[in-house]
Amino acid sequence: MNVETHTHCPYCALQCAMTLTPRAADAALDEPTLTVTGRSFPTNRGGLCKKGWTSSTLLDSDERIRTPLVRDARGELVATEWSTALDLLAQRIRDLQIESGHDSIGVFGGGGLTNEKAYQLGKFARIALGTSRIDYNGRFCMSSAAAAANRAFGIDRGLPFPLTDLDAAKTVLMLGSNVAETMPPFLSHLAGVREAGGLIVVDPRRSATARLTEDGQGLHVAPAPGTDLELLLGLTHIVISERMYDAKGVEEHTIGFDDLRRSVAAWWPARVQQVTGVPVHALRDVARRLSSGAETFILTGRGVEQHANGTDTATAAINLALILGLPTRPGSGYGTLTGQGNGQGGREHGQKSDQLPGYRKITDPAARAHVADVWGVNADDIPGPGLPAVQLLASIDEPDGIRALLVHGSNPVISAPDAGAVRRRLGRLQLLVVCDFFLSETAAMADIVLPVTQWAEEEGTMTNLEGRVLRRRRATAPPDGVRSELWIFSELARRLNAPGRFDVDPALVFDELARASAGGIADYSGLSHALLDDGREAYWPYPSGSIGTPRPLLDGYRHPDGRARIVAVSVTARPENVATGDELTLVTGRLLEHYQSGAQTRRVPELMAARSVMEATMHPSTAADRGLRDGDPAVLENSRGTVMATVATSTTIRPDTVFLPFHFPGEHSANLLTIDATDPVSAMPEFKTAIVRVRAAAAR
Ligand SMILES: Nc1nc2c(c(=O)[nH]1)N[C@H]1C(S)=C(S)[C@@H](COP(=O)(O)OP(=O)(O)OC[C@H]3O[C@@H](n4cnc5c(=O)[nH]c(N)nc54)[C@H](O)[C@@H]3O)O[C@H]1N2
Ligand SMILES: Nc1nc2c(c(=O)[nH]1)N[C@H]1C(S)=C(S)[C@@H](COP(=O)(O)OP(=O)(O)OC[C@H]3O[C@@H](n4cnc5c(=O)[nH]c(N)nc54)[C@H](O)[C@@H]3O)O[C@H]1N2
Ligand code: SF4
Ligand SMILES: [Mo]
């Protein structure tokens, strides 16, 4: 049998199209059971990155969990039957509900879950557990960009246009995004703009993406970390004072321009240079290029969003796009590059603490009535808003906080800010339950671990970074002993006497999701697995009877009056002071070879062979000042923690800055140093900058 299965990559939001083929009968037994090949598709054009090519290795991994594990009296995780584990879990949940109330059970979801699982998890939390305390790792990822887009446009579809629109761009301003490492096949969409000399990359590091601007292909702008808001206010100041904005568009399609003009008045170029370090001539050059009237895009990534002022910075980028008229100009646009595989769908179907499916507000009586009807419950039975991720985890220390946590698709021991405190808190829980394929660092702390199916073993849908709904298809059977999360929800719901249906078939769950989303902002009501299997291009909103919406903003903004909101934002104090003396600013981010907390990619031998060492990238002069040379062991520390890393000197980084990836565990975990301060609007943590000191390891 040599049946090909058409599906998409298990990792990031580019969701590259791939074909899975069973291993040939005469192949060596150490070859993966499924072979991966890139498939022609408008987003990846047949390309895949290293992570995609090697993704099927994990299906056969010896490290997979193949049976439920329950912690015994001696503190060991021991293999258990499914019925025993689920009976025990249901009993512990009921006991805790009686002792400490329904809100004592927390749920932590993930942006890697299919739409079906994300939807069912939100429903399970609200009506099977009866808890308000659900949030997910998308809070660490897309919450600032989402909050800013919702506020400005009345809709949050990461890219409100197909990726192929970028092919004809003459200018692209990329703020805090390193697609050359985080989405390599994306680069094909930047070929045109590079040829036109119009790629502008804003990154304090000369990242792999910033290097694409060399040789006349564009411009690299390197502000001091955490000063993008000032930079954007400065660019807006120039565009307004030099009258380079779209006055007619502003008048007809927006509200709030006068406040914006006043708010940027004091950000004259020389002052912006002083704060950001970006020379006045570069500021003027960027402002002029953006105002040329040709095909122009502004795109943001985590580098500008993962800050305690991330919503305001994303808003400043949107304001600049609005006054230039980009979102509604055909061939131009504004967008944010969603990160996780289903980072877009994951933020629409009800995993967020304040949200119901269809991107509805949980506080809106009409939304509650609609969803209650689909779920077969009374609107009063749906709990109110819960707590966002960082606050949810912090509540473990509070009298009315959570006592139990169910984790689905995240590894917060590595990926949450101030991870040392997170580990201590999780250790204090009365019950920690983790569903995963592997014994991640979080699963290793759990009282109950439930093994679940991987991407190539399940059916479902994912919504990519363009808002296009894609089919994930099953190519192989899961190992014995592994179950789907939909089955787990259904079994637990039955044991907890939950109202409503908890279907196990993903196609049926999708049909219910579609009904629940009908009339909401993220309306999927015209979609079904069958329609997607027909090869239909499916951009939401996709109301029943429609053909989908590739470019939702071209028909006008989604606020009731059709106008965008320009929200004037200002610079506020940083959660930590700027580095002084021998302190450095720590910047965190990603490497090509590893994905997120590394729970998956650290188990792929080819990726580990390419990248197994935690390196701290620093300028040669910064290293020399501390008596360090390339390859030396170093200690990075602050009041929150200590991290060990190997020095990698490079002139791609500013002398006042040190870079760490967050993919490694234990004493190499970058998040031991990050701060849990959050954005006041989005609750996004300040992942991108922290203050640290660096010294030689021997001096410890
Ligand atoms: N290889 C790989 N690819 C991935 C992932 C992965 O873990 N590994 N994860 C996926 C996910 S979930 C996401 S969210 C995306 C993230 O994708 P990106 O946003 O591209 O990734 P990051 O590396 O987090 O950050 C991008 C850049 O921001 C810069 N930066 C840091 N601080 C600042 C600042 O203050 N200002 C500016 N302007 N830039 C700054 C960093 O130097 C870095 O080069 O990647 C997705 N793709
Ligand atoms: N310092 C610093 N920290 C960061 C960031 C940063 O830039 N700097 N970026 C942040 C961002 S943008 C993100 S998105 C987060 C991500 O960080 P995490 O939330 O930790 O994400 P992953 O490592 O992808 O964890 C997913 C876990 O779920 C499992 N898993 C995958 N699919 C499924 C599934 O379908 N069901 C179940 N039950 N399990 C599954 C995987 O094996 C893995 O153990 O990290 C954040 N942390
Ligand atoms: S770019 Fe993203 S979706 Fe494409 S192969 Fe790599 S990890 Fe997978
Ligand atoms: Mo992310």
Side-chain angles (χ1 to χ4, degrees):
M1 194 173 73
N2 197 19
V3 190
E4 292 187 338
T5 305
H6 286 185
T7 189
H8 296 265
C9 177
Y11 299 116
C12 85
L14 194 55
Q15 283 295 291
C16 294
M18 51 171 58
T19 302
L20 301 178
T21 320
R23 171 176 64 196
D26 56 355
L29 281 179
D30 60 353
E31 278 190 24
T33 31
L34 292 174
T35 306
V36 178
T37 44
R39 183 159 56 86
S40 167
F41 201 73
T43 47
N44 62 311
R45 296 180 166 139
L48 297 173
C49 79
K50 280 183 193 177
K51 299 186 296 305
W53 284 118
T54 54
S55 55
S56 70
T57 323
L58 292 179
L59 298 165
D60 311 312
S61 169
D62 291 344
E63 293 186 63
R64 268 193 93 164
I65 318 169
R66 289 161 200 270
T67 152
L69 303 173
V70 174
R71 202 168 292 280
D72 68 6
R74 288 168 306 146
E76 313 261 313
L77 281 174
V78 291
T80 312
E81 293 290 322
W82 272 99
S83 58
T84 315
L86 293 173
D87 287 348
L88 174 74
L89 175 52
Q91 189 55 47
R92 302 267 329 250
I93 290 172
R94 276 194 298 267
D95 291 347
L96 270 164
Q97 287 174 332
I98 293 167
E99 265 168 51
S100 312
H102 284 70
D103 269 354
S104 67
I105 319 273
V107 176
F108 203 97
L113 302 178
T114 57
N115 288 317
E116 292 79 358
K117 291 192 259 182
Y119 167 80
Q120 202 78 322
L121 183 64
K123 175 177 174 180
F124 178 79
R126 269 65 173 240
I127 67 169
L129 297 176
T131 183
S132 70
R133 303 283 172 89
I134 173 171
D135 210 54
Y136 79 126
N137 69 2
R139 189 69 67 177
F140 299 161
C141 183
M142 297 310 300
S143 58
S144 282
N150 279 322
R151 196 161 74 172
F153 307 135
I155 183 173
D156 156 37
R157 220 193 68 192
L159 294 182
F161 49 82
L163 260 188
T164 42
D165 281 10
L166 284 172
D167 295 338
K170 294 289 177 287
T171 304
V172 174
L173 175 66
M174 296 194 85
L175 296 141
S177 160
N178 185 16
V179 278
E181 292 204 71
T182 54
M183 297 184 180
F186 183 101
L187 297 189
S188 85
H189 301 286
L190 297 178
V193 73
R194 289 171 65 196
E195 201 163 306
L199 178 64
I200 309 170
V201 175
V202 180
D203 196 312
R205 297 190 302 148
R206 200 160 81 242
S207 63
T209 309
R211 291 199 288 276
L212 298 176
T213 65
E214 290 166 4
D215 303 325
Q217 303 193 52
L219 195 70
H220 172 212
V221 175
T227 63
D228 302 275
L229 178 54
E230 290 89 334
L231 179 82
L232 286 159
L233 295 174
L235 292 172
T236 307
H237 173 105
I238 299 171
V239 169
I240 294 179
S241 65
E242 299 192 8
R243 299 194 181 284
M244 297 191 290
Y245 61 98
D246 170 15
K248 186 160 169 283
V250 166
E251 171 73 32
E252 284 173 11
H253 303 301
T254 69
I255 294 176
F257 179 72
D258 288 336
D259 288 346
L260 177 70
R261 189 208 313 262
R262 276 191 294 275
S263 70
V264 299
W267 289 100
W268 54 88
R271 182 174 173 214
V272 174
Q273 171 173 338
Q274 213 170 33
V275 179
T276 63
V278 179
V280 170
H281 66 83
L283 295 169
R284 291 197 191 284
D285 185 16
V286 174
R288 287 209 187 96
R289 288 173 186 233
L290 290 173
S291 316
S292 75
E295 290 81 1
T296 300
F297 290 83
I298 298 181
L299 302 175
T300 66
R302 302 307 82 75
V304 293
E305 299 161 6
Q306 287 175 324
H307 294 279
N309 67 355
T311 306
D312 283 353
T313 305
T315 298
I318 290 175
N319 289 345
L320 181 58
L322 283 172
I323 65 168
L324 294 167
L326 305 183
T328 48
R329 189 159 91 209
S332 294
Y334 170 86
T336 177
L337 299 172
T338 294
Q340 296 187 82
N342 196 26
Q344 178 71 57
R347 64 188 197 260
E348 301 162 2
H349 307 304
Q351 293 186 84
K352 272 182 169 171
S353 60
D354 55 354
Q355 187 202 56
L356 289 174
Y359 226 130
R360 291 181 154 93
K361 287 201 177 72
I362 204 165
T363 48
D364 171 6
R368 295 172 65 85
H370 172 83
V371 173
D373 194 42
V374 175
W375 288 353
V377 298
N378 291 320
D380 293 346
D381 297 335
I382 301 179
L387 295 172
V390 173
Q391 287 74 10
L392 180 70
L393 295 173
S395 82
I396 295 170
D397 284 345
E398 288 156 21
D400 60 350
I402 54 170
R403 298 289 165 262
L405 189 65
L406 277 55
V407 181
H408 295 263
S410 182
N411 187 11
V413 167
I414 304 295
S415 57
D418 194 3
V422 169
R423 176 181 280 278
R424 288 191 292 279
R425 286 178 183 136
L426 293 181
R428 276 180 218 130
L429 283 171
Q430 292 177 30
L431 175 67
L432 177 62
V433 184
V434 177
C435 280
D436 209 308
F437 338 122
F438 298 112
L439 204 61
S440 71
E441 287 70 19
T442 307
M445 293 184 70
D447 302 290
I448 301 179
V449 182
L450 303 175
V452 291
T453 47
Q454 289 193 45
W455 103 113
E457 299 158 352
E458 63 186 23
E459 300 282 339
T461 59
M462 304 282 278
T463 304
N464 79 354
L465 78 174
E466 318 166 278
R468 184 202 293 246
V469 188
L470 305 168
R471 276 284 274 117
R472 166 180 281 196
R473 293 191 181 87
R474 176 173 157 136
T476 182
D480 289 345
V482 163
R483 297 284 184 275
S484 84
E485 251 146 329
L486 294 179
W487 180 84
I488 295 172
F489 298 142
S490 153
E491 290 293 308
L492 282 174
R494 186 166 56 76
R495 285 169 170 79
L496 295 167
N497 294 322
R501 294 175 62 98
F502 283 87
D503 284 310
V504 178
D505 176 352
L508 293 179
V509 176
F510 189 92
D511 291 344
E512 187 186 308
L513 172 167
R515 286 199 304 282
S517 76
I521 296 172
D523 188 330
Y524 283 46
S525 60
L527 288 170
S528 64
H529 279 205
L531 183 140
L532 293 166
D533 284 338
D534 263 0
R536 188 75 67 84
E537 224 180 45
Y539 294 90
W540 71 260
Y542 205 113
S544 188
S546 82
I547 53 159
T549 322
R551 299 177 187 80
L553 298 184
L554 283 194
D555 318 332
Y557 297 109
R558 298 282 163 143
H559 289 299
D561 58 5
R563 285 167 175 263
R565 303 293 185 268
I566 294 179
V567 181
V569 292
S570 54
V571 175
T572 48
R574 302 262 178 84
E576 284 194 319
N577 289 328
V578 179
T580 52
D582 67 346
E583 292 169 339
L584 297 173
T585 301
L586 167 69
V587 161
T588 67
R590 293 166 164 78
L591 305 172
L592 170 63
E593 292 83 359
H594 287 288
Y595 192 65
Q596 317 275 57
S597 70
Q600 292 163 273
T601 48
R602 283 187 273 114
R603 291 180 164 88
V604 178
E606 278 158 288
L607 298 175
M608 280 309 267
R611 236 5 144 142
S612 59
V613 178
M614 167 68 155
E615 287 181 341
T617 310
M618 62 182 90
H619 197 274
S621 68
T622 313
D625 286 350
R626 289 160 180 77
L628 290 164
R629 278 183 312 194
D630 210 48
D632 281 354
V635 178
L636 292 86
E637 59 194 352
N638 61 21
S639 60
R640 293 176 289 279
T642 304
V643 167
M644 308 294 296
T646 302
V647 173
T649 56
S650 168
T651 54
T652 58
I653 192 155
R654 302 162 52 101
D656 58 2
T657 302
V658 52
F659 176 83
L660 291 179
F662 74 100
H663 311 298
F664 296 99
E667 61 180 14
H668 304 302
S669 170
N671 278 319
L672 294 172
L673 300 168
T674 51
I675 187 168
D676 71 356
T678 56
D679 180 286
V681 183
S682 68
M684 159 72 81
E686 171 72 49
F687 276 124
K688 278 292 176 270
T689 69
I691 304 300
V692 295
R693 285 176 311 280
V694 180
R695 60 180 167 82
R700 184 145 66 144

